[in-house]
């Protein structure tokens, strides 16, 4: 209430709201003064989630039934898709968002899903006057923003390496299901074009500093390759992930994340480094934080809030670094969620 005028909060729908990442996203929207519409497949799942009503609107809907999906999106200005595998959910929800005239953002790490969404929905999104940004999670859009910020005024690079260090990876059920579903060949940029990852993946030692120390990393590209290559010209673009994280996720006995603080975050620590080189010069960024799933929530919500708050003129399907000020987005996450250093600029 402002004076005698009731201020209605802006509304953002969340598909997969009862999942691990979805719950973090709903909580982050509330923290920002936005009103979430929590969408899940059943009323029972929504009731079990114990969302605060009426602050959170709870609406059951399925992607297979447009008669339930479109009413579930009613009143929203944007929708965040947290329901993986995105190979199964992105197409239907992005199409519904275009039809409803609302922004669509997802948190997919899946290269085929992100690539298809960018290609298929660019023109429809332009016609609808909305933005479609796939892959806006820890794996994907985060690295795209880091690369964009690292490059600064460089319009191209000879090589870009993205190095992701984790002290562990306790996967959610959704991560495991997505991994089983996504069997597509992983792509990298080599000699200036998207090309299949060479097997066996390259390995090397990398020193992530005091937080994680020296680790063996293996080449493991996610959706950031598709996003970065869409708007950055480079001869080589490669992503490496801690071997310890790969070992954890490949072990079926590794348990799901366990809350280590009142916000529900796990104790997992991450360090992401970007190293760009051009004509003998190099630029570098280092980002540090806690819990890749929990971190995805403020990251994707910051992007969505910018879509809602700004006079947005970049309709279409985009990588975040194409249309947003990468340094501003990353700065907005500091110091609560992120420690960031950009060197040699």
């Amino acid at each position: 209430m402002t004076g005698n005028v009731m201020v209605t909060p802006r509304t953002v729908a969340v598909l997969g709201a009862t999942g691990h990442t979805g719950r973090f996203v709903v909580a982050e929207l509330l923290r920002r003064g936005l009103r979430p519409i929590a969408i899940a497949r059943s009323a029972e799942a929504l009731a079990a989630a114990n969302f605060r009503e009426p602050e959170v609107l709870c609406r059951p809907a399925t992607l297979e039934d447009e008669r339930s999906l479109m009413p579930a999106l009613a009143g929203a200005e944007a929708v965040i898709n947290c329901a993986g595998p995105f190979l199964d959910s992105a197409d239907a929800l992005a199409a519904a968002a275009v039809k409803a005239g609302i922004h669509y953002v997802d948190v997919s790490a899946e290269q085929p899903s992100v690539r298809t969404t960018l290609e298929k929905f660019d023109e429809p999104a332009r016609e609808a006057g909305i933005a479609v940004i796939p892959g806006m999670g820890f794996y994907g859009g985060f690295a795209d923003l880091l690369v964009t910020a690292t490059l600064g005024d460089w319009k191209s690079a000879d090589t870009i390496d993205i190095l992701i260090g984790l002290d562990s990876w306790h996967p959610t059920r959704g991560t495991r299901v997505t991994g089983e579903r996504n069997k597509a060949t992983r792509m990298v940029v080599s000699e200036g074009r998207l090309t299949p990852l060479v097997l066996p993946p390259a390995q090397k030692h990398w020193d992530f500093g005091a937080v994680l120390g020296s680790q063996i990393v293996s080449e493991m590209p996610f959706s950031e390759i598709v996003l970065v290559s869409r708007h950055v010209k480079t001869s080589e673009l490669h992503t490496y992930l801690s071997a310890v994280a790969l070992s954890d996720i490949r072990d079926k006995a590794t348990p799901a994340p366990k809350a280590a603080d009142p916000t529900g975050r796990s104790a997992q620590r991450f360090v992401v480094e970007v190293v760009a080189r051009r004509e003998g010069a190099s630029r570098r960024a280092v980002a540090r934080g806690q819990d890749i799933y929990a971190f995805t929530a403020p990251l994707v919500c910051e992007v969505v809030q910018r879509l809602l708050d700004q006079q947005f003129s970049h309709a279409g399907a985009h990588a975040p670094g194409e249309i947003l000020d990468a340094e501003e987005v990353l700065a907005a996450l500091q110091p609560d969620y992120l420690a960031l250093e950009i060197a040699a600029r």
Side-chain angles (χ1 to χ4, degrees):
M1 181 79 72
T2 302
N4 294 320
V5 179
M6 179 71 73
V7 177
T8 302
R10 309 190 79 167
T11 303
V12 177
V14 182
L15 184 75
T18 59
H20 187 82
T21 301
R23 290 170 183 257
F24 281 117
V25 170
V26 169
E28 179 65 17
L29 290 171
L30 287 171
R31 191 191 70 80
R32 290 168 176 262
L34 300 169
R35 190 178 198 185
I37 300 173
I39 303 175
R41 296 186 67 86
S42 70
E44 291 76 17
L46 288 166
N50 291 317
F51 291 126
R52 301 200 313 259
E53 296 186 90
E55 293 93 338
V56 180
L57 301 176
C58 295
R59 297 175 180 173
T62 64
L63 292 171
E64 299 81 11
D65 182 8
E66 190 178 89
R67 291 174 300 178
S68 69
L69 183 57
M70 294 307 294
L73 297 175
E77 296 180 66
V79 59
I80 301 172
N81 184 3
C82 297
F86 296 90
L87 285 166
D88 299 328
S89 68
D91 193 86
L93 189 57
V98 168
K99 186 173 182 179
I102 63 176
H103 302 303
Y104 170 89
V105 183
D106 70 38
V107 296
S108 174
E110 303 157 46
Q111 289 186 339
S113 169
V114 168
R115 194 171 182 180
T116 298
T117 300
L118 288 169
E119 293 172 353
K120 181 174 181 178
F121 290 100
D122 186 39
E123 185 174 346
R126 291 177 190 276
E127 293 175 355
I130 64 165
V132 169
I133 303 180
M136 197 56 251
F138 175 83
Y139 294 114
F142 181 39
D144 179 68
L145 291 173
L146 284 172
V147 167
T148 305
T150 303
L151 292 177
D153 60 354
W154 283 5
K155 303 303 180 186
S156 64
D158 296 330
T159 66
I160 300 172
D161 285 337
I162 301 163
L163 303 113
I164 302 172
L166 305 178
D167 60 3
S168 63
W169 188 358
H170 290 243
T172 64
R173 178 181 176 277
T175 295
R176 291 206 180 278
V177 171
T178 296
E180 293 168 2
R181 173 73 173 85
N182 180 22
K183 300 299 184 182
T185 300
R186 293 179 183 267
M187 308 296 285
V188 300
V189 173
S190 184
E191 297 182 354
R193 58 186 176 86
L194 282 170
T195 188
L197 172 67
V198 174
L199 298 176
Q203 288 192 330
K204 59 184 176 181
H205 288 270
W206 192 261
D207 187 353
F208 288 100
V211 175
L212 299 182
S214 180
Q215 295 195 7
I216 296 173
V217 294
S218 297
E219 188 161 13
M220 179 58 63
F222 297 96
S223 57
E224 72 288 330
I225 299 294
V226 176
L227 295 170
V228 174
S229 65
R230 185 176 175 88
H231 66 105
V232 174
K233 184 179 180 181
T234 183
S235 296
E236 301 290 330
L237 173 61
H238 302 272
T239 298
Y240 298 84
L241 177 64
S242 296
V244 65
L246 289 169
S247 178
D248 279 348
I249 198 168
R250 288 167 178 166
D251 183 353
K252 294 183 179 180
T254 302
K258 182 180 179 180
D261 66 27
T263 70
R265 293 187 303 175
S266 73
Q268 180 197 53
R269 297 285 177 173
F270 67 79
V271 178
V272 181
E273 297 197 27
V274 171
V275 181
R277 298 180 177 88
R278 189 182 76 167
E279 298 175 354
S282 66
R283 291 181 173 180
R284 179 171 174 263
V286 183
R288 300 178 179 87
Q290 179 180 345
D291 190 336
I292 61 175
Y293 296 109
F295 173 73
T296 289
L299 174 67
V300 71
C301 289
E302 179 65 29
V303 169
V304 168
Q305 187 150 30
R306 286 170 184 270
L307 297 183
L308 299 181
D309 291 347
Q310 296 174 2
Q311 189 65 36
F312 198 77
S313 60
H314 297 285
H318 302 283
E322 281 186 284
I323 57 173
L324 299 173
D325 186 313
E327 288 193 61
E328 284 188 3
V329 175
L330 295 170
L333 301 174
Q334 301 175 74
D336 294 340
Y337 307 105
L338 190 68
L340 176 66
E341 305 165 18
I342 301 177
R345 282 269 297 273

